[in-house]
Amino acid sequence: MKNRGRIDLWLSDDIETWWTHSDRVYDGTGSSQHYTDQAILTCHELRVIFKIPLRQLEGLIDSLFETMGLPLKCPHYSLLSKRLAGLNIPSPRYKKGGQRDERTVAIAFDSTGLKRYGRDEWHQEKHKVSSKRSWRKLHLGVGDDHVIYSTVLTDKNTMDDAATEALCDQIEEEVSMVSADRAYDENHVYKTVEAHFPEADIIIPPKDYLHYNENHHPKRCAHMIEIAAKGQQTWQQHHQYGKRSGSETAMQRYKRTFGNQLHAREMSNQKVEVKIACGVLNRFTSLGMPQSYKSV
């Protein structure tokens, strides 16, 4: 945990070979890209870590290159903003490892809100003005190893269950269990999860007003019958529903590490921003997690 606060600067020996494109084409329609996608991604990873504006990020990276004596420059802040949406990041990075590939994972789905740009609460109260500030919805698929395997950013009006398909599409690992809260208790959620992970146990508590009928998914009906016979607490313990808390912990870690608001203003940029941030959080996870033990 202490290592997360260290400032160790290391640049790969071959950074000069991949920071920019060596061959550029001038065909009359505009020159090809000068900076590689990897360079743009590296800059934005540093941005979410240090939580600084793009102009300050440009000065930070330029100072690092000058200190190291490298003939490189940081991309212009406007270029960093324009290229962000074009980065091909299908899912959070840094989630693969030897021990994780050899076992199945238990995935928990959940969502939280992230603020968009606009006037903050203090400004509204002091100057008696309305705020254009709104928020986006961040949907996460988190494993029991605290790794974020999938993430989707939507507008605030999107229901949690509507993001299930997109979350499942990003997960390539073998999954043994999928858990979520009551907001995901819909027949199409069961069908979607079953289609992606046929062998996975789907643990979603049924809504209170539901009654057994043949229109519900079989696994959904089985949960209703078991809860009616054994009680909610026994059902949760039997199916290890407590593993779902990993998703809530991941959301708390995200907001404590990167803040509760988005830096980018366009939706296309915001979607890539959260995937970059979740990838950085996965890298932090690989450095170490606190070990908790039950006190006797």
Side-chain angles (χ1 to χ4, degrees):
M1 296 295 288
K2 293 180 181 179
N3 289 336
R4 297 184 183 182
R6 292 178 59 91
I7 302 179
D8 294 326
L9 304 180
W10 175 84
L11 298 177
S12 61
D13 296 333
D14 60 345
I15 188 173
E16 294 186 53
T17 63
W18 58 260
W19 189 258
T20 59
H21 290 289
S22 57
D23 298 326
R24 303 184 68 188
V25 178
Y26 300 89
D27 57 1
T29 60
S31 64
S32 59
Q33 294 177 346
H34 179 56
Y35 295 97
T36 64
D37 286 346
Q38 182 63 30
I40 302 296
L41 175 60
T42 301
C43 293
H44 281 286
E45 287 179 338
L46 289 174
R47 182 197 188 186
V48 298
I49 292 174
F50 292 107
K51 293 182 285 189
I52 56 178
L54 288 177
R55 288 179 176 87
Q56 296 179 26
L57 175 68
E58 186 179 349
L60 170 65
I61 295 178
D62 281 342
S63 67
L64 293 179
F65 288 152
E66 292 174 5
T67 303
M68 302 295 291
L70 294 173
L72 300 175
K73 296 288 290 185
C74 176
H76 193 267
Y77 65 86
S78 62
L79 179 63
L80 290 174
S81 179
K82 293 176 182 178
R83 293 277 301 273
L84 178 59
L87 295 178
N88 183 22
I89 307 178
S91 62
R93 294 160 59 87
Y94 314 119
K95 60 184 180 180
K96 293 184 180 297
Q99 60 180 358
R100 298 190 185 106
D101 290 342
E102 296 171 359
R103 71 179 188 89
T104 58
V105 296
I107 298 292
F109 292 151
D110 213 336
S111 66
T112 187
L114 295 176
K115 290 183 179 180
R116 296 172 60 195
Y117 67 93
R119 303 183 187 276
D120 57 21
E121 291 80 0
W122 180 89
H123 192 104
Q124 298 173 50
E125 183 176 348
K126 181 174 179 62
H127 298 283
K128 308 299 180 184
V129 295
S130 61
S131 171
K132 293 183 179 179
R133 181 183 292 273
S134 183
W135 52 280
R136 302 292 192 193
K137 216 171 189 180
L138 176 63
H139 307 263
L140 298 178
V142 186
D144 56 346
D145 50 2
H146 301 288
V147 173
I148 300 175
Y149 287 89
S150 59
T151 177
V152 175
L153 189 72
T154 64
D155 61 76
K156 63 181 180 180
N157 297 318
T158 301
M159 301 299 293
D160 290 355
D161 58 279
T164 306
E165 179 79 29
L167 288 172
C168 291
D169 287 341
Q170 298 178 29
I171 302 175
E172 300 177 353
E173 289 73 12
E174 294 185 12
V175 177
S176 61
M177 183 179 80
V178 175
S179 59
D181 57 24
R182 280 190 172 90
Y184 295 84
D185 181 41
E186 300 289 346
N187 282 319
H188 72 88
V189 173
Y190 280 88
K191 294 177 181 178
T192 300
V193 174
E194 190 174 51
H196 284 79
F197 317 113
E199 304 299 326
D201 192 10
I202 306 173
I203 310 301
I204 305 175
K207 294 183 173 69
D208 293 332
Y209 60 83
L210 289 181
H211 299 283
Y212 174 84
N213 64 63
E214 58 186 15
N215 295 326
H216 295 310
H217 191 276
K219 292 185 178 180
R220 194 182 188 190
C221 292
H223 290 324
M224 287 189 285
I225 296 173
E226 186 175 352
I227 290 175
K230 300 179 181 179
Q232 185 81 22
Q233 292 296 329
T234 303
W235 175 83
Q236 291 183 5
Q237 294 175 1
H238 176 71
H239 292 281
Q240 296 181 317
Y241 183 68
K243 287 186 176 182
R244 192 188 66 83
S245 63
S247 60
E248 297 177 351
T249 302
M251 292 186 298
Q252 183 185 53
R253 290 168 53 225
Y254 184 102
K255 291 186 175 182
R256 287 192 174 186
T257 305
F258 308 119
N260 64 345
Q261 63 183 16
L262 296 160
H263 296 282
R265 296 199 172 193
E266 299 295 332
M267 182 64 164
S268 56
N269 284 0
Q270 292 170 352
K271 290 181 177 180
V272 181
E273 177 187 331
V274 296
K275 287 186 178 180
I276 292 176
C278 289
V280 172
L281 201 59
N282 285 344
R283 175 163 285 188
F284 287 170
T285 300
S286 66
L287 294 177
M289 290 290 291
Q291 300 295 325
S292 302
Y293 304 94
K294 184 177 180 180
S295 58
V296 180

